Each structure stands twice: as structure tokens, then as C-alpha cells.
Amino acid sequence: MTIYKNPNLRKIRGSHILAVSCGNCKTFIAHYQKVGESNFVKMYNDRIIDGVVDFSELHGAIICPACGARIATRYITRTDKKEAYRLVPSAFNKKKV
């Protein structure tokens, strides 16, 4: 399994890193910079550090490479018009690194 670096990455001050994995088969999906202690419902594309999906290309969804489960769906946020992935509840696990 190859790990792809995200070319759109921006370092965020005051963030902590989460390891996101599949909820079904526990396969690693991505490392993400999370800001704040609120609920984890979306992943901004410019905060994803690396992952098993090539984030330089546009994908309609993040799908687990091992079991084929849908982890997140791509959309554009209304407030700031940024590209993000809306996470499917109970389809992922997160762990603070």
C-alpha cells in the first residue's frame, strides 16, 4: 500500500493530528490536521497531510482500498467555498497521534 503526500497541504498552527482509518476493516486512510475540539464531521482538502488516496486528483468520494466501504463524499462548503470531504457517520475511526 503506497502513501501519497497531499500537494495542497497547508500547515495549520494550533492543530493536532488525527489518524483516520476505516470503520469496517481498520485500514489506514489518512493523517489529518484537526483544529479545535468540536465534532469530526468533515475533512478539508488542504488539511490532509497524507493518505492511501491520491489527493492531488479530484475524487467524488474516499473509498477504503481494502473493503470498498465509502468513508467520505466530496463537496464544496457553503460558507467559505472550500473543497472538503463530508464523513459518513460510523464508517471511520479516528485516533490522536
Side-chain angles (χ1 to χ4, degrees), residues 1 21-29 52 62-71 90-92:
M1 182 175 5
S21 60
C22 179
N24 295 333
C25 63
K26 310 296 188 260
T27 304
F28 170 75
I29 301 296
V52 295
I62 298 175
I63 296 176
C64 178
C67 67
R70 179 181 289 225
I71 307 296
S90 73
F92 67 94

Side-chain angles (χ1 to χ4, degrees), residues 11-61:
K11 297 282 186 184
I12 307 294
R13 187 189 302 180
S15 64
H16 54 276
I17 297 174
L18 296 178
V20 180
S21 60
C22 179
N24 295 333
C25 63
K26 310 296 188 260
T27 304
F28 170 75
I29 301 296
H31 283 120
Y32 181 73
Q33 299 179 77
K34 175 80 169 86
V35 177
E37 296 297 325
S38 61
N39 292 338
F40 187 50
V41 294
K42 62 185 166 189
M43 292 194 313
Y44 288 104
N45 193 20
D46 58 354
R47 293 187 188 174
I48 299 171
I49 300 169
D50 57 6
V52 295
V53 179
D54 189 7
F55 292 104
S56 62
E57 302 171 3
L58 294 179
H59 299 283

